[in-house]
Amino acid sequence: MALGSLGSIGIASSVLTTETLNKLKEAEEGNIIKPYTTKMEKNTAKQTAITELNTKLLSFQTAVSSLGDATAFAKRTVNASVTGDSAAASLSASSGVSTQSLSVKVDQIAQKDVFQSKGITADTDRVLQSGQNATSFTIVQGNSKYTIRVDANTTYADLAEKINSATSGNVQAKLVKTGEANTPYRLTLSSKETGTDNAIKLVDGDGTLDKAGNFNSTQASADLLANLGWELDKTTTNGKEGYAIKDPNGEYHIKKAQNAEFTLDGVKMIRQSNEVKDIGAGLTLTLKKAGEINFDIKQDTEALGTAMEELVEKYNDLMTQLETATKYDTETGVAGELQGLSIVTSIRSNIVNSLFQSQAVEGTELDENGNSKATTVMLSMQDFGLTLSQTGTLSFDKSTFDEKIAEDIDLAERFFAGTSGFEELEVTGSATQAKFDADIDFTGKEFKITFNDKTYDLSKDKDGNVFELKGGTPEERAQKLIDHINSFGIEDLKVSMQELTIGVDAKGDPVKGYAIKFKSDNGSDFELTGDKDVLEKMGLEATKVTPQIEQGTGVFADLKSVLEGVTSTKSASKGSLTLYSEQLTAENKAMKESKEKSQASIDARYETMAEQWIQYDRIISKLQTQGQYITQMINAQNSNSQ
């Protein structure tokens, strides 16, 4: 801080001036403060360079991870024998699905139930005719029934809204403008979902039942339906289920609910929907039309090639950034911000050594008789089209890669990732909590498992009846629960019981508890839901588990570990670059504090010095005045003596 405000210093002495004091202070600040500033600026520049380098490292690490944890190898592609509009079905396969071939023959696709009324003059017309009284009719869909009230003010547009509201959209009503002469509107009813479970039946009444359990009917309700052109056919179904309508010409029941029927590898199957998700974990079959089609699920080698190309691109970007950060120009003497820093200069060599190391991989070869036998194969990335130029950049020959992958893709996966499959899923209940000492009634309770993209309602048995867990002993109840879950035939999910001693009774005898255990290794998500009190009685709790792909030990898995040793921010295993950046931050913080203290000390000292110089200048001024007075007296005395 300059002392220019003390402008009166040095008037008397012409030596103890503000300029002199400022120069002295600037010299001291140059010796003490400037080194702090210079060092902090260098550290900040290094941190900026580290941030830029770390960005490139993480980008490269992402490319490595996609190959090192088998993500790329888990991707699947589906080849269909028929494509486009001619295809009877389509198939999608999630990552990790087993490679396989499927043959599908579609006999019929599932469809919705669709009705239409007779022609209507205007959407604002009243539904009830003159003289007809307010009444109700009922729509029956499976186990659900919806009663719609119609009064003298209800228009056809109102009726559509009432149906949608009453059914919560499970039956969708629309007033469609057909353009027919004189009666250009029709009311349509459509089930929201396909399949016979969603078929629509009608009742000419308010949905109440008689003593025999049949729906009550009224003439007023029948007249209301007649206004729509619908006459119930009470010969086709009993009064407990609702009725179809008489429609000999197919004018009103324009599409009938039906299930999808198809064969999969010769096995006959029936589904309510055209989107079939329960034929295998990670597979979704979409039925489109009657016909035959074959699917071949293979590993997506194109995705592997793309992953390799991205790897090369990210590596070369990283090397360019490294070159900028560590270069030294001998002519100009200009150096990169991280030049000479060993933890940075070693990154290139560590990556190259890890990437191009040869590895022994367990594979197979043909003997003299043409039979496969186990053998050890030495592989390097050069075998897969990856080469390092003299300038340090990577290049990739996709044709060499494709050729090598085609030889044995499983061998390539073991070399790249050293893994296959998913981590084992295991969910175990609490034996301490699950004593199974009382029967459990699941009436009105929720207990569901979702696995392989399919939800199983375990509050009911496989026939749809309410499940009751009964038994003479806790062990018997626990075993019956296991048998109940297994009766649904949930593919690839193993359910078992584990007996544990959870304490002792008053007599010192062991008290047993029973833990329910779910296990799978097919990679499917597992979700358990239900009412908390019911789950607790079985030692369970609501949970969702997503299995992870197993961590491997292949060349890219090793390289990933090398990179994490540089970039990791985990508190227990921070990378070298992370630690160095934190060190720079700590240094700058400490230097900032020291700089501020030193600056405050200098400022205080020179403020004191300035005050002292003012006093000195005043003394000099007084002495000068006195000297001038004495000189005048001497001069006057000399003049008088002459």
Side-chain angles (χ1 to χ4, degrees):
M1 182 180 70
L3 301 169
S5 61
L6 302 174
S8 62
I9 296 179
I11 293 177
S13 67
S14 300
V15 174
L16 304 179
T17 63
T18 300
E19 181 181 359
T20 301
L21 195 61
N22 281 339
K23 286 181 178 180
L24 289 172
K25 186 179 181 183
E26 288 172 2
E28 188 167 356
E29 287 177 336
N31 291 329
I32 298 176
I33 303 301
K34 188 175 180 180
Y36 285 123
T37 303
T38 302
K39 180 63 175 174
M40 290 169 63
E41 288 174 349
K42 286 183 178 180
N43 282 358
T44 301
K46 284 183 178 181
Q47 286 184 309
T48 300
I50 287 173
T51 299
E52 293 172 349
L53 177 60
N54 200 54
T55 299
K56 298 295 184 182
L57 276 165
L58 291 174
S59 182
F60 178 58
Q61 186 173 320
T62 299
V64 169
S65 296
S66 70
L67 294 163
D69 62 7
T71 299
F73 284 91
K75 291 182 179 179
R76 298 293 181 258
T77 183
V78 179
N79 296 327
S81 60
V82 182
T83 59
D85 294 337
S86 301
S90 64
L91 181 71
S92 64
S94 302
S95 293
V97 169
S98 299
T99 56
Q100 57 191 289
S101 295
L102 300 174
S103 177
V104 177
K105 180 177 182 294
V106 182
D107 297 314
Q108 70 177 32
I109 62 171
Q111 64 183 27
K112 299 178 179 181
D113 217 8
V114 183
F115 293 78
Q116 70 175 6
S117 70
K118 68 180 183 180
I120 298 168
T121 304
D123 59 348
T124 55
D125 285 354
R126 301 294 191 270
V127 178
L128 296 178
Q129 296 178 3
S130 177
Q132 291 182 329
N133 297 322
T135 187
S136 301
F137 73 98
T138 301
I139 297 174
V140 180
Q141 191 178 45
N143 295 323
S144 301
K145 61 180 182 179
Y146 313 103
T147 299
I148 293 90
R149 181 74 175 171
V150 178
D151 58 31
N153 295 319
T154 303
T155 66
Y156 286 102
D158 295 335
L159 179 59
E161 291 182 6
K162 287 189 175 188
I163 293 172
N164 290 329
S165 176
T167 65
S168 299
N170 291 318
V171 177
Q172 298 173 340
K174 296 179 183 178
L175 204 61
V176 179
K177 188 172 184 178
T178 62
E180 298 171 85
N182 302 321
T183 55
Y185 293 91
R186 287 181 187 256
L187 177 73
T188 64
L189 299 184
S190 173
S191 58
K192 180 182 178 181
E193 305 294 344
T194 58
T196 56
D197 287 353
N198 296 292
I200 297 171
K201 300 291 179 62
L202 298 172
V203 174
D204 50 357
D206 60 4
T208 58
L209 304 175
D210 61 19
K211 293 181 179 179
N214 296 310
F215 284 110
N216 291 313
S217 299
T218 67
Q219 186 58 47
S221 183
D223 292 342
L224 163 64
L225 294 176
N227 293 345
L228 296 168
W230 298 339
E231 180 183 356
L232 302 188
D233 185 356
K234 297 191 176 182
T235 64
T236 56
T237 54
N238 60 54
K240 294 180 172 65
E241 300 174 356
Y243 305 98
I245 63 173
K246 293 180 180 180
D247 189 26
N249 299 320
E251 180 183 0
Y252 301 119
H253 197 175
I254 56 179
K255 186 181 288 188
K256 294 184 178 181
Q258 68 180 28
N259 296 329
E261 297 182 5
F262 64 101
T263 58
L264 178 64
D265 291 337
V267 179
K268 181 74 174 180
M269 295 189 175
I270 298 174
R271 296 291 187 274
Q272 293 287 323
S273 171
N274 291 316
E275 188 174 69
V276 184
K277 294 184 175 182
D278 59 353
I279 59 172
L283 296 177
T284 299
L285 176 67
T286 303
L287 309 177
K288 298 180 177 180
K289 60 190 294 187
E292 298 184 23
I293 188 169
N294 297 319
F295 299 104
D296 193 10
I297 304 171
K298 296 182 176 181
Q299 283 184 297
D300 190 353
T301 56
E302 283 299 317
L304 289 172
T306 300
M308 286 292 292
E309 289 171 346
E310 184 176 357
L311 175 85
V312 170
E313 177 187 348
K314 301 304 181 184
Y315 173 88
N316 290 333
D317 286 347
L318 171 61
M319 291 305 113
T320 299
Q321 189 66 38
L322 268 174
E323 176 65 24
T324 300
T326 61
K327 68 181 178 180
Y328 179 76
D329 191 324
T330 55
E331 293 183 0
T332 63
V334 176
E337 300 297 344
L338 305 178
Q339 197 273 329
L341 190 61
S342 61
I343 61 171
V344 175
T345 56
S346 63
I347 290 175
R348 186 197 312 270
S349 59
N350 289 341
I351 290 175
V352 171
N353 291 339
S354 180
L355 186 59
F356 285 96
Q357 64 177 319
S358 294
Q359 283 196 3
V361 182
E362 294 301 317
T364 59
E365 66 177 3
L366 298 178
D367 60 19
E368 61 274 10
N369 298 318
N371 299 316
S372 294
K373 66 175 184 178
T375 187
T376 300
V377 181
M378 294 300 296
L379 293 172
S380 77
M381 287 308 303
Q382 289 174 314
D383 297 320
F384 292 88
L386 202 63
T387 55
L388 187 67
S389 71
Q390 291 183 345
T391 59
T393 59
L394 278 184
S395 60
F396 175 59
D397 187 333
K398 191 172 184 302
S399 60
T400 300
F401 175 82
D402 290 340
E403 183 179 340
K404 191 65 177 178
I405 285 287
E407 289 179 7
D408 190 340
I409 195 167
D410 293 332
L411 182 68
E413 182 173 356
R414 288 193 290 275
F415 172 61
F416 276 40
T419 185
S420 61
F422 291 85
E423 294 176 347
E424 186 174 69
L425 176 149
E426 184 172 315
V427 176
T428 304
S430 169
T432 304
Q433 193 172 314
K435 297 179 181 179
F436 291 98
D437 53 1
D439 294 344
I440 302 176
D441 185 357
F442 286 87
T443 301
K445 300 294 185 180
E446 181 182 343
F447 177 32
K448 295 179 180 179
I449 284 177
T450 300
F451 189 72
N452 288 338
D453 295 319
K454 182 177 180 180
T455 298
Y456 300 87
D457 185 355
L458 303 179
S459 67
K460 298 180 176 63
D461 61 25
K462 62 181 181 180
D463 296 322
N465 302 312
V466 174
F467 175 59
E468 290 185 77
L469 182 59
K470 294 182 176 181
T473 64
E475 182 179 7
E476 185 178 338
R477 294 187 191 95
Q479 187 57 57
K480 283 191 174 181
L481 176 62
I482 301 299
D483 295 340
H484 168 62
I485 297 173
N486 284 330
S487 70
F488 285 83
I490 306 176
E491 187 177 1
D492 294 327
L493 183 65
K494 299 176 182 178
V495 187
S496 60
M497 175 180 68
Q498 185 176 6
E499 181 182 293
L500 299 170
T501 299
I502 60 175
V504 293
D505 60 17
K507 298 179 180 180
D509 295 328
V511 176
K512 300 293 185 181
Y514 303 93
I516 308 301
K517 181 179 290 186
F518 303 90
K519 292 181 69 174
S520 177
D521 59 2
N522 79 346
S524 175
D525 289 357
F526 172 88
E527 185 173 14
L528 178 66
T529 58
D531 292 330
K532 185 178 179 181
D533 60 329
V534 173
L535 294 179
E536 286 179 348
K537 290 178 182 178
M538 298 181 287
L540 301 172
E541 62 181 1
T543 185
K544 183 174 183 179
V545 180
T546 300
Q548 302 298 311
I549 294 177
E550 292 179 336
Q551 181 65 39
T553 56
V555 62
F556 286 112
D558 288 345
L559 180 53
K560 180 182 177 182
S561 296
V562 169
L563 294 170
E564 287 177 343
V566 178
T567 64
S568 176
T569 57
K570 297 178 182 178
S571 57
S573 56
K574 291 183 179 179
S576 57
L577 212 56
T578 302
L579 290 171
Y580 183 67
S581 180
E582 290 179 352
Q583 177 187 328
L584 292 176
T585 299
E587 282 184 8
N588 270 9
K589 181 180 179 182
M591 285 190 292
K592 183 174 183 291
E593 292 174 354
S594 296
K595 175 184 174 182
E596 289 174 349
K597 288 180 181 179
S598 297
Q599 185 67 64
S601 176
I602 292 172
D603 289 344
R605 187 164 63 256
Y606 276 86
E607 287 291 342
T608 300
M609 191 180 298
E611 292 294 335
Q612 290 173 340
W613 281 25
I614 291 173
Q615 297 303 321
Y616 295 154
D617 202 49
R618 287 174 179 171
I619 293 171
I620 293 171
S621 178
K622 287 181 179 180
L623 291 174
Q624 287 177 339
T625 301
Q626 291 175 356
Q628 290 173 356
Y629 177 71
I630 293 171
T631 300
Q632 289 175 356
M633 290 179 63
I634 293 172
N635 290 336
Q637 185 65 37
N638 289 335
S639 298
N640 292 332
S641 63
Q642 291 177 358

